[in-house]
Amino acid sequence: MAKGPVRVLVTGAAGQIGYALVPMIARGVMLGADQPVILHLLDIPPAAEALNGVKMELVDAAFPLLKGVVATTDVVEACTGVNIAVMVGGFPRKEGMERKDVMSKNVSIYKSQASALEKHAAANCKVLVVANPANTNALILKEFAPSIPEKNITCLTRLDHNRALGQVSERLNVQVSDVKNVIIWGNHSSSQYPDVNHATVKTPSGEKAVRELVADDAWLTGEFITTVQQRGAAIIKARKLSRALSAASSACDHIRDWVLGTPEGTWVSMGVYSDGSYNVPSGLIYSFPVTCQNGEWKIVQGLSIDEFSRKKLDATADELSEEKALAYSCLS
């Protein structure tokens, strides 16, 4: 029996990431090759013409799975009935702006979008925040959409997770699909901690630890970490534009695994509401290793954390606590 369509909201849909993301969703990359979708595209009024151009291209591409497109600058219309919300729109930091100025702009954006989702989205709507500061934007959204379960509000650290997989695969000259169980802990910022202590590589003689195969602790605790942390800045330097296709692809990975499940024995990184696991303060949206089944994520428990890792986990938690305080000060 044919599946009914899933309504997927993309905010900031006329922007670079949105433009890369919507065809992936329409092609089935996010929800599977048998899942029809209706796209809800939201952007700000100055981008209305460009947004209409995106809608025209979606029609022209004749995607078999795409059963409709709602392109609008009205937040209520955009949020009505959506099952999945991918929050790409946000206010970017501009030259000369203080962090508090950027935070203040994003707090007001996420406050209004949270209210619209709470009132008009479908029951059990799943939310993924992509726009930076992603963890704290997700926290603000959670505050102002109290009827959306906290487990349904997440932020994107899968891009960092995939970057870590890519760096290991390049270093070892193996297929990226043979590398698994890296972890991104903490904030989607340069304080994040890319951790390979539990990661493995599939080899002809079985699974081997990444640390053992790389056999270079200086690289793993130095250049590897900084490369993943600063990859976004390196792409801007190279392209003169922010990352777009990799962010869009990672957003699809995040939602697909959340909805359809992670493979047995494999975890992924998601920014989720902390319950105090690994001594991370509760009340933060923090990236953890998770497995997904039946549309629910679960933090992987019982992983050993060495002293080096403990300091990194704490440092990124401290930054998130500071961001939270800054965001809440913008509310007063």
Side-chain angles (χ1 to χ4, degrees):
M1 188 176 151
K3 293 181 175 179
V6 170
R7 291 181 181 268
V8 182
L9 167 66
V10 177
T11 72
Q16 271 209 99
I17 296 173
Y19 187 73
L21 176 59
V22 293
M24 293 183 187
I25 300 170
R27 200 176 277 286
V29 175
M30 178 179 276
L31 293 170
D34 62 343
Q35 178 58 66
V37 293
I38 296 170
L39 281 167
H40 288 227
L41 310 180
L42 175 69
D43 218 310
I44 54 175
E49 200 175 348
L51 186 64
N52 193 45
V54 175
K55 181 178 178 178
M56 289 159 67
E57 286 206 73
L58 286 166
V59 171
D60 293 351
F63 294 108
L65 290 171
L66 186 59
K67 303 305 179 189
V69 181
V70 178
T72 183
T73 59
D74 181 89
V75 68
V76 171
E77 186 185 5
C79 292
T80 299
V82 297
N83 309 102
I84 291 166
V86 186
M87 316 302 281
V88 179
F91 194 91
R93 188 169 183 174
K94 295 178 179 173
E95 204 173 337
M97 284 184 81
E98 294 295 327
R99 278 179 73 226
K100 181 154 186 181
D101 299 332
V102 188
M103 190 71 78
S104 177
K105 295 272 190 192
N106 281 295
V107 163
S108 65
I109 291 168
Y110 277 82
K111 194 172 165 182
S112 74
Q113 292 182 351
S115 301
L117 280 171
E118 168 151 82
K119 291 189 185 93
H120 303 288
N124 209 33
C125 176
K126 287 179 160 60
V127 182
L128 167 61
V129 177
V130 176
N132 287 323
N135 300 59
T136 301
N137 284 343
L139 195 60
I140 293 299
L141 195 145
K142 181 202 156 293
E143 286 295 316
F144 289 96
S147 70
I148 298 177
E150 61 194 32
K151 65 182 173 53
N152 282 22
I153 296 173
T154 65
C155 82
L156 186 70
T157 56
R158 183 60 174 269
L159 176 55
D160 310 296
H161 181 99
N162 287 350
R163 286 167 172 166
L165 293 175
Q167 289 303 304
V168 170
S169 104
E170 295 237 303
R171 180 77 176 193
L172 293 175
N173 196 25
V174 297
Q175 295 298 313
V176 73
S177 54
D178 289 336
V179 187
K180 70 175 188 180
N181 295 353
V182 298
I183 303 168
I184 302 297
W185 299 98
N187 199 1
H188 174 61
S189 75
S190 58
S191 79
Q192 66 177 256
Y193 173 42
D195 176 6
V196 297
N197 286 322
H198 309 278
T200 60
V201 177
K202 190 162 76 182
T203 74
S205 55
E207 287 193 352
K208 297 271 174 72
V210 164
R211 191 170 282 283
E212 178 192 328
L213 290 175
V214 169
D216 186 344
D217 282 357
W219 183 77
L220 286 172
T221 56
E223 189 186 335
F224 164 73
I225 290 174
T226 55
T227 298
V228 175
Q229 287 172 334
Q230 295 164 17
R231 187 68 159 187
I235 288 167
I236 290 172
K237 192 175 175 192
R239 283 189 79 223
K240 313 297 180 268
L241 292 165
S242 187
R243 76 282 179 274
L245 80 85
S246 56
S249 180
S250 301
C252 288
D253 291 344
H254 176 113
I255 296 287
R256 187 184 62 249
D257 285 343
W258 188 4
V259 172
L260 301 178
T262 47
E264 188 71 32
T266 299
W267 62 66
V268 294
S269 301
M270 285 171 65
V272 298
Y273 197 64
S274 171
D275 61 357
S277 292
Y278 296 100
N279 294 323
V280 171
S282 52
L284 298 175
I285 301 265
Y286 188 100
S287 182
F288 287 96
V290 302
T291 55
C292 303
Q293 198 175 9
N294 303 322
E296 305 273 336
W297 56 263
K298 195 168 144 193
I299 297 172
V300 176
Q301 297 294 343
L303 298 174
S304 58
I305 306 293
D306 62 21
E307 192 182 347
F308 177 85
S309 299
R310 183 72 258 164
K311 286 179 178 160
K312 296 284 190 188
L313 265 72
D314 292 344
T316 190
D318 289 346
E319 183 184 64
L320 279 168
S321 296
E322 283 170 30
E323 271 187 25
K324 179 180 178 178
L326 187 60
Y328 281 52
S329 74
C330 297
L331 295 171
S332 52

